Amino acid sequence: MKSWVLAGAISLVAAVVAALAFGAWKNSDFVDGQSDRLRMEGTFVNGFYDQGIEDVGFIAQPDKHVTARRLLDSRVIYDASYTTGPDRFRVVPKVEGALRCLLQFGDSFTFGEGVDDDETSAAQIVARSRGEVEVKSLGIGGWGPHQFLAGLQSGRFQRVINCKPTDAVYLFIPAHTARAAGRGKWDRFGPLFVVDDNGRPVREGNFNTVGRSWRELIGFNRLTEEEEEELAAALIAEASRELERLYPGIRFHVFTWDGTTAGVIARLTAQGLRVHTIRQIIPDYSDAYLIAPPYEYHPTPAAYERVAEYFLTLGR
């Protein structure tokens, strides 16, 4: 009898260990991994970002003009140049007497990684509107919705906006749920938020100022997948409320890229946000709109052109 009990206990322990090991394998990876076949060349690699920034964790350096060549093995898949202004954000053509002012928030898809300054969605909106829309690009490669809210709460964005905002767009990609939870390996100093009992995000320091949770100690992510989705949606909803407080009447939209989970979209919609999927924005969307899938998933200039065209249909 004792041998059966012992065997059962051993089996139970083995099952628990196996389950924990599987969970750790499934959840512990950092987000946004890339192939070893990719490498970057150009002045971009000589230090484009400043780290340890209290409100947003990291941000591009001011007044930079850098070259960025991305190679897949020996093949160049993009060769672009990026220019930032004194405010640390990517430059957009200036407009005088615009009828509308658009604020763009997000990450490298908003910044325009892989394309030249005049090929970003921001630049193409200005060009295609024939100067009727002024655009302020407030996206930085590697950011997530936690930087979106943190930058508003600190006043960083407001200090560099020199028009009267009428519209705002946050471009959401699938990785943003994990980034908001601290799983961006380049984002060690990023702003840490938790969801309170009322479902609203509260700032609790930075990712580097808190200890590890019991989940992390046994190899899991700090939050479950559902909790990550809840946090990401709560951050965007809170940021939209802050935008409305700052700029009453502003029209806020969320553009979601392919692969965004139904759970995130449902949570955003439940918060009353206007959500537009990439399949609505680009009905014939395919890999042809990406630089070099399955290795490099940033959009091409043609994709940004379609995004620009779609935005200009809103609010007419």
Side-chain angles (χ1 to χ4, degrees):
M1 182 66 178
K2 290 183 180 179
S3 61
W4 281 101
V5 172
L6 179 60
I10 292 173
S11 298
L12 178 60
V13 170
V16 170
V17 170
L20 290 174
F22 175 77
W25 168 81
K26 182 178 185 295
N27 289 286
S28 63
D29 287 345
F30 277 112
V31 68
D32 294 302
Q34 66 177 38
S35 170
D36 292 337
R37 295 175 58 186
L38 290 170
R39 72 179 191 277
M40 183 72 76
E41 294 181 346
T43 55
F44 175 84
V45 303
N46 296 331
F48 186 66
Y49 298 104
D50 283 332
Q51 290 279 357
I53 307 299
E54 195 280 331
D55 62 334
V56 291
F58 69 97
I59 196 169
Q61 293 185 5
D63 297 313
K64 297 285 284 187
H65 182 76
V66 298
T67 57
R69 296 177 77 235
R70 186 74 145 173
L71 288 85
L72 176 62
D73 298 327
S74 60
R75 177 169 67 95
V76 176
I77 56 176
Y78 70 68
D79 189 350
S81 61
Y82 310 147
T83 307
T84 61
D87 58 10
R88 298 175 174 265
F89 295 104
R90 194 157 190 186
V91 298
V92 181
K94 294 186 180 300
V95 175
E96 296 293 336
L99 301 177
R100 300 166 65 185
C101 171
L102 167 65
L103 309 179
Q104 284 189 324
F105 299 95
D107 65 351
S108 56
F109 281 50
T110 298
F111 178 89
E113 180 172 334
V115 306
D116 290 325
D117 293 336
D118 63 350
E119 295 174 322
T120 65
S121 61
Q124 296 204 54
I125 288 170
V126 171
R128 291 183 170 277
S129 73
R130 296 187 175 137
E132 290 189 359
V133 181
E134 184 173 353
V135 183
K136 187 64 184 177
S137 179
L138 299 166
I140 295 292
W143 273 12
H146 51 315
Q147 273 101 2
F148 177 25
L149 179 57
L152 287 171
Q153 290 181 338
S154 70
R156 176 178 294 276
F157 298 141
Q158 299 90 297
R159 288 191 292 272
V160 303
I161 296 168
N162 50 21
C163 57
K164 183 179 179 181
T166 58
D167 303 87
V169 168
Y170 182 86
L171 202 161
F172 189 97
I173 69 169
H176 285 185
T177 54
R179 289 182 188 173
R183 291 201 284 126
K185 57 187 176 182
W186 55 84
D187 193 17
R188 294 182 297 119
F189 306 102
L192 170 66
F193 289 88
V194 298
V195 178
D196 68 13
D197 293 339
N198 297 315
R200 301 184 69 165
V202 177
R203 181 77 181 263
E204 287 201 351
N206 293 64
F207 294 136
N208 63 309
T209 63
V210 296
R212 294 168 65 84
S213 69
W214 70 266
R215 286 178 54 86
E216 292 171 298
L217 290 173
I218 61 173
F220 287 96
N221 294 329
R222 183 171 62 88
L223 303 179
T224 66
E225 291 179 15
E226 184 175 338
E227 289 170 337
E228 287 185 350
E229 290 184 356
E230 179 186 20
L231 174 60
L235 287 164
I236 295 172
E238 188 71 17
S240 73
R241 287 188 285 268
E242 185 65 9
L243 283 171
E244 177 62 31
R245 184 187 69 80
L246 292 165
Y247 312 110
I250 193 169
R251 296 179 290 261
F252 178 66
H253 302 268
V254 181
F255 290 1
T256 62
W257 211 263
D258 220 32
T260 302
T261 66
V264 167
I265 293 174
R267 290 176 186 277
L268 293 172
T269 303
Q271 295 272 9
L273 302 180
R274 303 179 186 95
V275 179
H276 311 257
T277 69
I278 196 63
R279 303 286 172 160
Q280 293 173 287
I281 298 167
I282 308 177
D284 63 339
Y285 178 82
S286 69
D287 282 356
Y289 287 101
L290 304 176
I291 289 175
Y295 300 102
E296 171 55 73
Y297 284 96
H298 283 97
T300 64
Y304 289 128
E305 179 182 344
R306 297 292 295 276
V307 170
E309 290 173 348
Y310 183 83
F311 169 76
L312 293 173
T313 69
L314 301 177
R316 284 181 178 173

